[in-house]
Amino acid sequence: MATLNEVRSSIIANNTEHNGESYMDARSQIIASSQYDVAIRKGPVLAVLTNRGSPIQNATFGIVNSGWPSSSVVVDVLSCRQMPVGSDDSITISYAQPGYGGMPYVFLSLADATSIGICGLTKAVKAEVNPTTTRNTDNKDKKNSAMSLSASSLFGAAASISTLALALSVLT
């Protein structure tokens, strides 16, 4: 929750915009959904939430028209993982990787994540796109990621649902 509050406070303080709208002026919009997943955009933030539970699953969730251009990069501020934006401005979430089954994602563009200094990104650091690794550059991020993964593993679906509800409350 501290990370989500830090992100929200930083994008508000920086007046970070997406398509000419600041976080404070933008309305939350569901831009994609399935039986198990929902993607909600509010200004420069895109949250992807699921009720799949914590075990890994051979499943994906595609978000077409994410709002970011093809070939750009987004950062999940909860795991610090960078992901490429594909054709049709799409992002594909995979729940098959260890540690990512049922976890929420909160994306910012690489430029926005860099401008607020989240995930150890600074303007002096060249970002690398590697969708299978997590970029944790300090012990605090590693500790927070490990705690999130442990909580999800211990409490399964209940922890994931609680995390999703808290993430939604921070977005609104």
Side-chain angles (χ1 to χ4, degrees), residues 1 4 36-38 40 47-54 78 95 101-106 152 156-172:
M1 290 314 311
L4 292 173
Y36 301 103
D37 313 285
V38 64
I40 304 166
V48 180
L49 312 171
T50 186
N51 66 353
R52 290 181 186 270
S54 62
L78 298 176
Y95 299 106
M103 296 300 289
Y105 292 80
V106 178
S152 182
S160 294
I161 291 170
S162 296
T163 302
L164 300 178
L166 290 171
L168 278 175
S169 69
V170 170
L171 282 174
T172 56

Side-chain angles (χ1 to χ4, degrees), residues 3-96:
T3 299
L4 292 173
N5 283 328
E6 177 187 350
V7 167
R8 182 182 60 186
S9 296
S10 296
I11 62 176
I12 291 169
N14 287 349
N15 200 31
T16 304
E17 293 185 347
H18 177 77
N19 290 338
E21 283 190 308
S22 71
Y23 179 82
M24 294 301 290
D25 293 333
R27 301 177 93 180
S28 296
Q29 297 178 338
I30 296 174
I31 62 169
S33 64
S34 74
Q35 180 180 359
Y36 301 103
D37 313 285
V38 64
I40 304 166
R41 176 171 282 288
K42 179 167 173 60
V45 179
L46 176 64
V48 180
L49 312 171
T50 186
N51 66 353
R52 290 181 186 270
S54 62
I56 62 171
Q57 297 178 21
N58 189 18
T60 60
F61 175 55
I63 304 160
V64 178
N65 298 319
S66 67
W68 289 296
S70 298
S71 302
S72 64
V73 177
V74 294
V75 177
D76 171 29
V77 299
L78 298 176
S79 69
C80 295
R81 189 173 108 172
Q82 297 179 23
M83 296 177 64
V85 177
S87 62
D88 296 327
D89 305 338
S90 64
I91 298 173
T92 301
I93 305 298
S94 172
Y95 299 106

Side-chain angles (χ1 to χ4, degrees), residues 103-124:
M103 296 300 289
Y105 292 80
V106 178
F107 293 109
L108 289 176
S109 71
L110 179 59
D112 291 343
T114 300
S115 73
I116 66 171
I118 195 76
C119 294
L121 294 170
T122 63
K123 291 184 181 197

